[in-house]
Amino acid sequence: GDPEVRGAAATAVCDYYHVPSLVVACMDLARADAESGVRVRAIQSLGWILEDDVDAADAGLPEEEREPEELDRETYQSVRNLLILLARDGKQPEEIGASAVEGLGWLGGRTEEKAILEEYYARKGARSRAAALIAAGRAGARDWEARVLEQLRERTGPLLLAALKAAASLSLRKAA
């Protein structure tokens, strides 16, 4: 099929994440589509699916009291595991791993996710470092404030946009 159609389908999964078969299809696209652009869109959708589920959990509702369209634990864990696998797989193109890292940012300060963010920020590639900044902002990682501010002080360069996104997510008043 057409890569544009597959990419659009992957993006649409965000609205239908309560249908496990669609999430599994999106995971298949993220894992192995022939077009990297389709894979990136699928990975981004999976990250947003995690973000929606985190929002429901943050509302303080136990799983059994959530709306039926919330992600079930098994699907949630499968999505999380795939994003971790893609982020840690050194054979993946940088854009694939970086997109997975950004998606993992929604999960906050879990030990494994924190380690992945640190690993990506330590890399030389600007895309990997930018992904770590964006993910740290999404995670609300206050221990990253100094790094975000450092990148903002640069005023130019490939990490400025990522630092701006992270500062907005962290609501850094010092960035102004």
Side-chain angles (χ1 to χ4, degrees):
D2 183 349
E4 280 299 313
V5 173
R6 293 192 312 275
T11 301
V13 169
C14 289
D15 294 329
Y16 299 96
Y17 65 89
H18 57 281
V19 181
S21 61
L22 293 179
V23 175
V24 169
C26 188
M27 291 173 64
D28 290 342
L29 290 173
R31 190 180 295 113
D33 195 89
E35 296 287 330
S36 65
V38 172
R39 293 184 70 200
V40 167
R41 288 176 75 178
I43 292 165
Q44 290 169 339
S45 289
L46 294 172
W48 285 107
I49 287 169
L50 292 179
E51 188 269 341
D52 282 344
D53 195 62
V54 167
D55 284 349
D58 286 347
L61 295 175
E63 185 175 351
E64 61 274 5
E65 292 179 26
R66 293 185 197 169
E67 293 296 320
E69 67 258 5
E70 301 302 338
L71 204 57
D72 65 80
R73 292 295 98 195
E74 183 179 331
T75 304
Y76 166 89
Q77 195 59 46
S78 294
V79 169
R80 178 180 176 264
N81 289 344
L82 177 60
L83 293 182
I84 288 171
L85 176 79
L86 293 172
R88 294 222 175 232
D89 183 352
K91 295 177 185 171
Q92 296 294 331
E94 184 179 29
E95 184 64 27
I96 298 297
S99 296
V101 168
E102 289 176 5
L104 289 169
W106 295 115
L107 299 180
R110 295 178 180 192
T111 304
E112 189 164 12
E113 283 81 355
K114 278 183 173 182
I116 291 170
L117 267 61
E118 293 290 346
E119 173 191 325
Y120 269 72
Y121 194 72
R123 291 182 178 187
K124 292 183 187 210
R127 179 63 182 101
S128 293
R129 296 185 77 214
L133 286 168
I134 291 168
R138 289 177 175 176
R142 293 284 172 203
D143 54 328
W144 278 67
E145 286 183 12
R147 287 182 257 200
V148 170
L149 291 170
E150 174 188 336
Q151 292 303 321
L152 289 173
R153 282 191 285 278
E154 295 287 320
R155 300 272 184 218
T156 60
L159 299 182
L160 181 59
L161 180 58
L164 286 168
K165 289 179 181 181
S169 295
L170 291 169
S171 301
L172 289 180
R173 297 188 194 286
K174 299 173 197 169

